[in-house]
Amino acid sequence: MAKKRPEDPPKGSPAWMSTFSDLMNLLLCFFVLLYSMSTVDADKFQQVIASLQSNMSILPAGGASIGEGEMISSGVRQLEFLDSYYKDLSNSKSEDDSEGSKNSVYEAYHEQELSESEQMAQEIQEQVDNAGIQNLVEVEFTAEYVQLSLSGAILFDSGKADILTDAYPIVDKICAILEGYASNVIEVEGHTDNVPMTSKTYADNDVLSMFRALTVANYIRDNTSIEPSHVKSSGRGEYCPIADNSTAEGRARNRRVEIKIFNSYNSDTD
């Protein structure tokens, strides 16, 4: 009786190998995902480098490129180059963090300056309103100071730098307000329009604006208890207009005196 021929085994790999391969692929994807979400701790990495340096001094066979440097392969290059590369990365990160910290400090400081100036402006505006000169004095503020602006026509005759007698009550009320800020730096600025001077007393608009500012500054020094060294004056001539000099209204606005009361952050009175 003829023997039955045994069946040929199934072609290809055993069925269990397909399942095993799928499992390995899944594990590989899992670890790649973990690696992609991981971060390198520079300090720990340097400790590993130092440990390898002390024990091996070189990398084992196999090559790797560090940044744009030379290849590390077959133990030819020592790990000190790798150490230097990561030190550079660490230093760069520290500089970026330091710059960001400086910016944060500056922004916080600027906010404090602005907040103090705003508070001062509100207080001064209330005093201006109570004194009844709100239609004659404009109050503005920046992060450095609070500014009081007065029209030059109220204070001076055309081409002159002597305060008008009728303007004394107005300047006296401003002096009373300034008394409350005796520890702050106060700067008086004179401004003119761009019409050329015809006066024989003052050579040009620069000189006129300087003398007008000085006259108001001296009046403040003489009629308040403010330390004279805290009061400064300067003439700006026609170079800082706030309106169009081509119109009569614009020129009238540009002829002005500005009194700046610097906040505590910007008052160097030492």
Side-chain angles (χ1 to χ4, degrees):
M1 180 177 177
K3 293 183 179 179
K4 184 180 181 180
R5 181 182 177 184
E7 295 182 2
D8 293 334
K11 296 182 179 180
S13 302
W16 64 267
M17 289 190 67
S18 297
T19 303
F20 181 78
S21 297
D22 291 340
L23 178 62
M24 291 300 100
N25 286 333
L26 288 173
L27 286 174
L28 176 62
C29 292
F30 176 71
F31 285 112
V32 169
L33 181 63
L34 287 180
Y35 180 78
S36 66
M37 294 188 298
S38 66
T39 58
V40 177
D41 189 319
D43 292 335
K44 290 183 178 179
F45 197 81
Q46 289 178 3
Q47 291 176 6
V48 172
I49 292 171
S51 177
L52 289 173
Q53 281 180 320
S54 62
N55 289 281
M56 299 175 61
S57 296
I58 56 176
L59 282 174
S65 175
I66 303 302
E68 298 178 355
E70 299 180 10
M71 292 293 293
I72 297 178
S73 180
S74 300
V76 175
R77 294 297 179 192
Q78 294 184 348
L79 280 172
E80 58 185 275
F81 298 105
L82 181 65
D83 191 21
S84 299
Y85 176 74
Y86 275 96
K87 281 183 179 178
D88 291 341
L89 287 181
S90 180
N91 290 337
S92 177
K93 183 178 179 181
S94 297
E95 290 175 2
D96 291 342
D97 291 343
S98 177
E99 188 66 26
S101 178
K102 288 180 181 178
N103 290 337
S104 298
V105 171
Y106 172 79
E107 291 174 1
Y109 186 83
H110 181 75
E111 288 296 327
Q112 292 174 356
E113 289 180 304
L114 195 60
S115 177
E116 181 176 322
S117 290
E118 183 177 10
Q119 180 64 33
M120 289 171 56
Q122 291 175 354
E123 296 171 353
I124 291 172
Q125 184 64 63
E126 289 179 3
Q127 296 179 65
V128 167
D129 294 343
N130 293 335
I133 55 175
Q134 64 272 16
N135 294 328
L136 305 175
V137 180
E138 293 183 9
V139 180
E140 300 173 317
F141 70 92
T142 70
E144 297 180 3
Y145 54 77
V146 176
Q147 176 178 288
L148 309 181
S149 298
L150 296 88
S151 170
I154 297 173
L155 300 176
F156 309 103
D157 280 330
S158 177
K160 296 185 178 180
D162 297 322
I163 298 176
L164 293 170
T165 303
D166 292 343
Y168 285 160
I170 300 172
V171 182
D172 286 337
K173 290 177 180 180
I174 292 175
C175 286
I177 294 173
L178 297 179
E179 286 273 11
Y181 303 91
S183 60
N184 298 59
V185 169
I186 297 171
E187 183 171 359
V188 183
E189 289 184 358
H191 298 265
T192 68
D193 56 28
N194 65 347
V195 177
M197 282 290 303
T198 57
S199 171
K200 296 181 180 179
T201 307
Y202 308 106
D204 51 34
N205 284 324
D206 289 345
V207 177
L208 176 62
S209 65
M210 179 183 66
F211 272 94
R212 285 182 171 180
L214 180 60
T215 300
V216 175
N218 283 336
Y219 191 94
I220 295 172
R221 293 187 182 104
D222 295 338
N223 294 275
T224 67
S225 60
I226 299 173
E227 178 67 33
S229 63
H230 292 185
V231 182
K232 303 177 181 179
S233 64
S234 63
R236 308 301 297 275
E238 64 191 66
Y239 305 111
C240 299
I242 58 173
D244 187 357
N245 273 311
S246 64
T247 66
E249 294 80 4
R251 290 192 295 274
R253 289 197 64 197
N254 290 333
R255 295 190 297 270
R256 68 197 188 278
V257 171
E258 296 175 349
I259 302 174
K260 297 178 178 179
I261 309 169
F262 288 83
N263 58 39
S264 63
Y265 293 93
N266 295 277
S267 290
D268 184 7
T269 57
D270 295 335

